[in-house]
Amino acid sequence: MLDESLLDSPEGLAEADHRALLRGTAEAGARVRTAARHAAEAGVGDLKPDGRPRAVLIAGPGAAATQTADLLGTLAGAGSPVTRLAPTGVAPAAGALRWELPGWTGSVDLLLIATPDGTEPGLSLLTEQAYRRGLTVVAVAPAGTPLAESVSGSRGLFVPMATAPYDHDEPLAASAPGVLWALLTPLLALLDRTGLLTAPPDALEKVADRLDAVAERCGPAVATYSNVAKTLAAELADALPVVWTEGVSAGPAGRRFAAALAELSGTPAVVAELPEALAAHSALLAGPLAARADPDDFFRDRVEEAPALHARVVLLRDRPLGGLTAAPAARELALTHDTPVSELEPEEGGELETLAELIAVTDFAAVYLALASAPR
């Protein structure tokens, strides 16, 4: 059950936040600036690539690497394929994971390694394998780790991850906002230099400014009635989030939101892009999860019995290409099945800025839901 009174208690939220998730979310803009500075100090801005790589491969553990690959692939488009190398192993532990390069990779390809750990032997072995194949290797990880030594020894480029002191107080959540921006920002700067996407220093500064603006609007001191993230968290209590996205940037933001809900609060969610989402989820909205599916719910004991799980559509929208939009059809489908709809749409700005805003608002919502629904 969601403790809605906790949402309007900054002190209570801080006391419940053992992993500093709210602080990491609020300081995302500062993390972007620090990560951009680390990239510049590592020499990313001075690189003069011979041309675009044939393919970009991304390796790393957990949700952070998956989401980084998703975001970079979306932003790069068809310029060069961006592929995440999925690890193998018997457990999701640093010592158990292994990565392998595809047989076709060679000197015209680029390997990016993104990890908030840096102690994985499998990533050090991957670095050595890439060196033998002639791939260019760039890694973002904590300084002073075995991976940093391996990359430097293999003539790759190592960028120290932007960390905060509280990152080491508790085990890092893979979906923590600080982790994402610390890993993603240097790679954005790098791929800008290769010409795969547009992320010059001034664009990264605008991203940091937009993240700061969201933190002001959605921070713990802002009351629920005027805080879109707290409102969304309250709306998703005891609901199955059905996340529909529209627009290029909204896709990875929606997939990250679903992953963060699952990891941080244990809330299952489904996600799909419009207009295909209408066909993919129409049976779901018409089934037992529909809001009108349980007419006996009126007689439920509100104290002893948990409420039935019903779907709620979360519509994340960016500016659709060509002005075409499936949003009216999405609203009509949801309302036909008495399914409530929550909508988020960023303010005007560049692609990176609007993407950052969608991620930041949904990050805050996922954290609020996790904190307010955690057992006491």
Side-chain angles (χ1 to χ4, degrees):
M1 296 290 291
L2 184 81
D3 182 359
E4 293 195 35
S5 64
L6 186 64
L7 291 177
D8 284 324
S9 172
E11 297 80 9
L13 287 169
E15 184 178 347
D17 190 10
H18 304 297
R19 293 186 289 177
L21 294 173
L22 266 180
R23 185 173 178 180
T25 310
E27 295 179 357
R31 193 78 68 118
V32 167
R33 294 186 183 91
T34 302
R37 186 177 72 250
H38 285 186
E41 292 171 352
V44 169
D46 299 326
L47 294 176
K48 295 180 173 58
D50 294 332
R52 292 186 175 189
R54 177 181 61 179
V56 178
L57 307 171
I58 300 181
T66 301
Q67 293 159 12
T68 297
D70 189 10
L71 288 161
L72 293 178
T74 299
L75 293 169
S80 290
V82 177
T83 304
R84 181 189 177 233
L85 301 179
T88 58
V90 297
L97 298 175
R98 293 292 182 270
W99 289 262
E100 290 290 335
L101 289 173
W104 50 264
T105 54
S107 59
V108 293
D109 303 312
L110 172 64
L111 172 64
L112 306 179
I113 298 177
T115 173
D117 189 326
T119 65
E120 303 92 344
L123 289 178
S124 295
L125 293 173
L126 180 67
T127 299
E128 297 170 6
Q129 184 183 4
Y131 176 68
R132 292 193 299 270
R133 296 264 198 102
L135 277 78
T136 299
V137 179
V138 179
V140 183
T145 56
L147 179 62
E149 298 177 6
S150 178
V151 172
S152 299
S154 300
R155 300 181 183 178
L157 176 64
F158 178 79
V159 181
M161 178 181 168
T163 59
Y166 53 82
D167 285 346
H168 309 291
D169 294 340
E170 296 283 342
L172 276 175
S175 295
V179 174
L180 174 70
W181 292 110
L183 296 177
L184 178 64
T185 303
L187 300 181
L188 287 172
L190 173 75
L191 295 188
D192 174 73
R193 297 299 301 167
T194 66
L196 285 182
L197 50 80
T198 303
D202 62 326
L204 295 179
E205 183 61 32
K206 289 180 180 178
V207 166
D209 291 342
R210 183 67 66 98
L211 292 171
D212 288 345
V214 173
E216 292 179 5
R217 301 198 323 263
C218 298
V222 181
T224 300
Y225 68 84
S226 59
N227 187 323
V228 64
K230 288 183 179 180
T231 299
L232 180 58
E235 291 171 344
L236 293 182
D238 305 314
L240 172 69
V242 180
V243 183
W244 291 347
T245 67
E246 184 173 56
V248 176
S249 297
R255 291 185 286 273
R256 171 174 168 79
F257 186 35
L261 287 171
E263 181 183 0
L264 301 182
S265 67
T267 302
V270 295
V271 59
E273 297 187 20
L274 292 174
E276 289 89 349
L278 302 181
H281 293 161
S282 61
L284 185 154
L285 297 186
L289 291 172
R292 64 184 181 190
D294 186 8
D296 295 329
D297 188 64
F298 177 80
F299 301 101
R300 175 177 58 83
D301 187 324
R302 263 46 180 181
V303 176
E304 299 295 334
E305 299 179 38
L309 185 68
H310 293 310
R312 184 181 189 97
V313 170
V314 180
L315 181 57
L316 303 183
R317 301 185 63 214
D318 197 2
R319 297 175 306 283
L321 293 175
L324 297 175
T325 176
R331 298 186 193 102
E332 181 179 358
L333 176 63
L335 296 177
T336 297
H337 297 294
D338 293 336
T339 301
V341 180
S342 302
E343 295 193 37
L344 292 178
E345 187 171 350
E347 297 178 0
E348 291 292 326
E351 185 176 24
L352 281 175
E353 295 172 73
T354 57
L355 174 60
E357 181 174 340
L358 286 175
I359 290 175
V361 173
T362 52
D363 277 349
F364 267 110
V367 171
Y368 285 131
L369 183 60
L371 298 181
S373 59
R376 301 285 186 272

